[in-house]
Amino acid sequence: MSMLLPHFADAESFRAFRADPPRWLSVALDIARSHDLDVSAPHVFTTGTNLVVGLGDRLILKIFPPLLRAQFVSEHGSLTQLAGRLHLPIPEIVAEGERDGWPYLVVTRLAGTLGSEAWPQLPEAQKERVLRQIGETIASVQRAPLGPLAQIQPRWDDFMRVQMQGCKARHTRLGLAPKFLAGLDDLLRDAAKLIPTDAPPVILIGEYIPENFLLACDDGQWSLAGLFDFGDVLAGWRDYDLLGPSAFMAAGRPGRVRSLLEGFGYAKPDFALKRRLMALMLLHRASDLNSHICIEGWQDKANDLVELQELIWAE
């Protein structure tokens, strides 16, 4: 086993390397030992983007390849900027450094049950409760000053321009039904007016999804217990962060939609808000409606994008 981290020119080669822990675990443990950390019970996390190792039950080591240095900048800047500013626990940076051009972070490990494991089992009233807390958390993050995150790339106006230019080609490639593609040009024209590109930006996590938060149960009441993974942060328009919970969790159920939006600070959603959210959902950097909208049979329940926005953000 080599004690050097290699250089990769492309993401596919790195993914193959990440999927073979014997090729890199020794380096990870050597990094941990260099900070006098306990390496007696390491646990390799097989999901995610970077090299991630649990060190006992209290710490996590994340190692970022040079080609994903932007994720390190995002994670480090976000954890630093949000430290002490949220009511919700987030990881704390314990140590940081660089090995062979690969930056790394050691962060505290949060307690709780992974959202993706707990969410499907929650009763409906508990899902509404958690979605309200998610809306409140998004608003709380966005109240924090940007600090160094104001310099994070891409800038919101550049990001929106590129996403709009590639939107139709992307969703055609991903197999979005022709009846929805037919309304895309009209939606993008509306988006240019509905989505601010020069408003004061806020911190956007980009992925408020069950895989990135923890839940805890106290006397039968489930609550949001932690938020992690800040590798894809942007600075931009606030509504962008409503898309993850809208697509993956609200499932077009009026009570859930209302809880999320009210927690965030919106009263009853009007047509303009729904239209803006529909546009942003199609422009999201990870957008793939066929995979992400968790409403059973939604392709048959809506005839165009206007009907689809009414289905997703039902009142």
Side-chain angles (χ1 to χ4, degrees):
M1 290 187 289
S2 170
M3 291 297 282
L4 292 174
L5 289 167
H7 173 76
F8 294 105
D10 59 83
E12 188 174 342
S13 300
F14 167 65
R15 282 194 293 268
F17 177 75
R18 181 177 62 81
D20 189 8
R23 295 175 64 189
W24 54 265
L25 183 57
S26 60
V27 187
L29 298 182
D30 191 56
I31 290 172
R33 279 191 289 266
S34 74
H35 292 280
D36 296 322
L37 303 177
D38 182 10
V39 297
S40 61
H43 170 72
V44 174
F45 289 87
T46 55
T47 58
T49 308
N50 301 287
L51 309 182
V52 184
V53 183
L55 304 172
D57 59 0
R58 298 181 60 187
L59 298 175
I60 288 177
L61 168 63
K62 298 184 73 171
I63 310 173
F64 302 77
L67 56 86
L68 295 178
R69 179 175 288 273
Q71 290 205 355
F72 167 80
V73 172
S74 172
E75 183 103 13
H76 183 275
S78 301
L79 293 179
T80 302
Q81 191 63 14
L82 293 173
R85 288 193 162 102
L86 304 180
H87 67 282
L88 190 70
I90 61 172
E92 297 175 17
I93 298 175
V94 173
E96 59 185 278
E98 193 166 301
R99 172 71 67 93
D100 305 322
W102 294 49
Y104 63 81
L105 292 172
V106 179
V107 299
T108 54
R109 189 168 181 173
L110 305 178
T113 303
L114 194 63
S116 53
E117 295 176 5
W119 178 256
Q121 318 305 325
L122 266 58
E124 190 63 23
Q126 298 286 311
K127 288 182 175 178
E128 292 180 7
R129 169 188 168 88
V130 169
L131 275 165
R132 184 176 296 275
Q133 293 174 349
I134 290 173
E136 292 168 350
T137 297
I138 296 172
S140 179
V141 168
Q142 294 183 356
R143 283 193 292 270
L146 277 171
L149 295 175
Q151 307 305 317
I152 209 156
Q153 297 296 323
R155 290 174 52 90
W156 179 250
D157 53 351
D158 294 334
F159 174 68
M160 277 290 104
R161 184 176 61 255
V162 170
Q163 294 302 101
M164 286 185 185
Q165 288 171 348
C167 184
K168 193 161 192 176
R170 175 189 181 90
H171 290 289
T172 301
R173 174 173 54 82
L174 292 172
L176 187 62
K179 64 181 179 180
F180 299 123
L181 288 173
L184 203 49
D185 288 339
D186 288 341
L187 182 64
L188 292 176
R189 275 194 295 271
D190 289 350
K193 299 189 290 282
L194 288 169
I195 302 171
T197 56
D198 55 359
V202 297
I203 297 173
L204 301 174
I205 303 302
E207 292 189 319
Y208 285 93
I209 57 176
E211 289 79 6
N212 290 347
F213 58 73
L214 297 166
L215 298 175
C217 187
D218 181 22
D219 196 24
Q221 293 285 330
W222 284 90
S223 298
L224 206 54
L227 181 67
F228 61 95
D229 195 348
F230 298 86
D232 294 307
V233 163
L234 287 169
W237 179 248
R238 61 196 305 258
D239 293 356
Y240 186 79
D241 267 349
L242 291 169
L243 304 178
S246 292
F248 288 93
M249 304 173 71
R253 300 199 179 201
R256 297 190 202 177
V257 172
R258 184 170 57 251
S259 294
L260 171 65
L261 295 181
E262 287 180 353
F264 183 68
Y266 281 145
K268 186 176 180 179
D270 58 16
F271 180 85
L273 175 60
K274 294 178 184 180
R275 190 73 168 158
R276 182 163 63 245
L277 290 173
M278 188 74 254
L280 286 167
M281 185 171 282
L282 285 154
L283 293 168
H284 193 283
R285 61 173 21 149
S287 181
D288 181 0
L289 269 58
N290 288 330
S291 299
H292 295 164
I293 296 178
C294 295
I295 301 173
E296 188 173 352
W298 64 268
Q299 292 94 335
D300 299 321
K301 294 177 179 177
N303 293 311
D304 54 35
L305 290 175
V306 174
E307 290 187 8
L308 182 57
Q309 72 195 33
E310 296 297 327
L311 182 66
I312 298 172
W313 292 281
E315 300 177 43

